[in-house]
Amino acid sequence: MLLAFVVTASAVISLVLILGRSYHVLILLVIAAGWSQAPLITLTRSDAFQYLDDVPAVVLVAAAVVRAFSSQDKRLHKALGLMVILVILVAIGFVRSPDTEIGIAQARQVLMPLGLVFAGFVFRDDIKWRKVSTYLLLLAALTVAWALAEEIMQAPLLDPAWYHVNVVGGNPRSMRMGLPPAYFADGVSDGELTFRPGGPFMNPPVMGFLLGLGAFAAVARLRSFARLAMLAAIGLTLFFAYARAGILLFLMVTVIYFIWTKVGKYAGILVALGLGGYLFTTFIEQGNTASHSDGLFSGLMLGLQSPAGLGFGTTGYQAALEGASTGVGSESLLGLYFAWIGWPMIAAALVLLVYLGKLLRRVPRSQSLPVWLAVGFVLTVASSESASSMASTPALWLTLGSVVAMTVPLKLQARPVHAAAGPYFQQRPMLQRSTSRR
């Protein structure tokens, strides 16, 4: 009964917002639903709330499909064509899956994130990004307060054990001191277990994505002391949580971005390479970071060897829970995509990387912040399976779609010009707007 009510209420509210073209409010609903999902499930002992974030996200993607189909914009027609191809590939992967439940779970793991990229592309000019950034700042501040309270207590505010076992499907025997393994980091302090606060997400790596977005919004929207205070609080929380993906996003939109804009592009590239090497060599010796890089490489090798991929049910966390995983390609969402779908996904990743590289070379440096966020997010997708979690990443997938929608200027111009993606979190235009009509 509760499940039907939650799903119906979420769908009705989402449809009303779509019909009213209140896309930023719908995105707030998606983010807030993910933020409150685990606490609601834990407090009510009902897994009905696990659909709380999926439903508005599905409605947003469906609305994007309708908009693209009815639009006169040829770019939207091409994007819709690519989405149709993706659905066909996912259907093939599902048919090849040895288990229906795993097939459904992993089909969602592909369609939901990439569907949001499509939605970000389609609604690039319709979303009020500055309001979205305000929502992100508020939820990031609440998350910081929650996580720091847990750090002081050295214990979660809400016991995540029931959620981990009954909803996530985790093994009770893997618990440490009564908590899921993600709440502890190995090899950080002389071999002792180090507590990691997870905040409302009850999973520190997942929390890191939202805090990385919070840092992005702080750099784009705040100034002076407010910016420094917010970034310091977020950085401290990420340090305590040992959230690698969040730390990477944080560094991309602060250190790398500021060097890129204030010093120069070559300095930014050198610092990015040096910092990346240092983080890799530091993290590789701690915890299970090696499995993340190995997952990407193994998934790539499997994808290269299998033009059509392996299909679903052979790799990944969900398959491992059901005892069907080969262990290959896990701990890296991009590695899983490569292993599942094969050459088409490898080709798409290469095209995306080339395109982001062109944007960084040609976009005015002061207006490159969303591009750096997209680059950082692609790197986290390559190193983390948690990037598919709808609890904290929808705004990141939408941002990636809006960045992909940018038109690459042929040459820098003396005065600011418009952006096809809309000036994400900025008041002035960035790039040239597409001339196609909607």
Side-chain angles (χ1 to χ4, degrees):
M1 189 67 179
L2 181 59
L3 173 61
F5 173 78
V6 169
V7 171
T8 302
S10 298
V12 170
I13 294 172
S14 301
L15 286 172
V16 170
L17 293 174
I18 282 291
L19 293 175
R21 300 176 64 88
S22 299
Y23 303 110
H24 62 287
V25 181
L26 180 56
I27 293 173
L28 169 62
L29 179 61
V30 175
I31 301 170
W35 192 91
S36 60
Q37 179 187 48
L40 285 172
I41 292 174
T42 301
L43 291 171
T44 63
R45 288 294 197 268
S46 171
D47 60 359
F49 290 102
Q50 65 181 309
Y51 300 98
L52 198 61
D53 54 344
D54 278 5
V55 174
V58 168
V59 171
L60 181 61
V61 174
V65 171
V66 174
R67 166 68 69 83
F69 182 78
S70 59
S71 173
Q72 297 181 8
D73 191 336
K74 293 182 179 179
R75 295 183 75 205
L76 298 190
H77 292 167
K78 292 178 181 178
L80 181 58
L82 290 175
M83 271 301 297
V84 171
I85 293 174
L86 175 64
V87 170
I88 293 173
L89 293 174
V90 169
I92 294 172
F94 174 76
V95 170
R96 299 169 66 188
S97 174
D99 184 274
T100 300
E101 290 187 8
I102 296 175
I104 292 174
Q106 295 189 335
R108 171 203 174 277
Q109 211 170 348
V110 175
L111 286 177
M112 190 71 83
L114 298 185
L116 287 172
V117 173
F118 173 72
F121 186 97
V122 171
F123 294 125
R124 58 194 185 268
D125 295 325
D126 301 290
I127 297 172
K128 297 178 181 178
W129 295 106
R130 286 182 60 80
K131 290 189 176 181
V132 173
S133 70
T134 301
Y135 307 148
L136 289 171
L137 285 171
L138 175 61
L139 288 172
L142 293 173
T143 303
V144 165
W146 189 317
L148 291 181
E150 291 183 334
E151 175 63 24
I152 293 171
M153 296 170 52
Q154 286 292 288
L157 293 180
L158 293 176
D159 186 357
W162 187 90
Y163 176 81
H164 176 72
V165 175
N166 294 278
V167 180
V168 178
N171 187 347
R173 290 175 295 180
S174 69
M175 306 277 272
R176 303 181 181 187
M177 302 180 190
L179 298 175
Y183 272 80
F184 297 97
D186 295 310
V188 178
S189 57
D190 299 325
E192 297 181 0
L193 290 180
T194 301
F195 175 76
R196 305 166 66 187
F201 298 101
M202 297 192 179
N203 187 303
V206 172
M207 179 182 70
F209 286 103
L210 182 73
L211 293 185
L213 267 171
F216 173 55
V219 171
R221 289 293 308 275
L222 302 179
R223 295 292 179 268
S224 189
F225 177 77
R227 175 197 278 178
L228 292 176
M230 188 65 178
L231 290 177
I234 291 174
L236 187 65
T237 305
L238 288 171
F239 172 78
F240 286 137
Y242 203 72
R244 300 172 182 87
I247 292 172
L248 178 59
L249 289 172
F250 180 87
L251 292 175
M252 280 290 184
V253 300
T254 56
V255 177
I256 305 303
Y257 169 70
F258 284 121
I259 291 177
W260 182 264
T261 55
K262 305 300 181 183
V263 180
K265 293 186 176 181
Y266 292 113
I269 293 173
L270 289 175
V271 171
L273 291 175
L275 189 59
Y278 171 75
L279 291 175
F280 180 79
T281 56
T282 301
F283 286 160
I284 202 68
E285 299 176 354
Q286 299 172 352
N288 64 347
T289 306
S291 65
H292 293 262
S293 56
D294 180 64
L296 175 62
F297 179 76
S298 300
L300 176 61
M301 291 299 101
L302 267 181
L304 289 174
Q305 295 166 14
S306 308
L310 300 176
F312 301 135
T314 55
T315 61
Y317 182 70
Q318 187 65 32
L321 290 177
E322 303 294 335
S325 176
T326 62
V328 178
S330 61
E331 300 289 4
S332 166
L333 184 61
L334 192 57
L336 290 177
Y337 285 175
F338 291 158
W340 289 339
I341 300 177
W343 289 6
M345 190 57 66
I346 294 175
L350 290 175
V351 170
L352 176 61
L353 289 175
V354 170
Y355 190 74
L356 292 177
K358 286 183 178 180
L359 284 177
L360 282 178
R361 284 190 291 111
R362 297 178 180 177
V363 170
R365 284 181 292 170
S366 61
Q367 300 164 19
S368 63
L369 181 60
V371 185
W372 277 112
L373 178 69
V375 171
F377 185 49
V378 170
L379 293 177
T380 64
V381 170
S383 61
S384 173
E385 189 175 349
S386 298
S388 65
S389 170
M390 287 297 102
S392 63
T393 64
L396 281 164
W397 292 106
L398 288 166
T399 300
L400 181 59
S402 72
V403 170
V404 171
M406 290 182 178
T407 53
V408 181
L410 297 178
K411 60 181 180 179
L412 296 182
Q413 300 186 16
R415 54 192 178 87
V417 290
H418 291 283
Y424 197 107
F425 296 170
Q426 300 201 16
Q427 298 184 44
R428 58 180 179 174
M430 298 192 313
L431 304 176
Q432 185 175 0
R433 183 177 296 275
S434 171
T435 56
S436 302
R437 295 178 298 169
R438 280 204 291 255

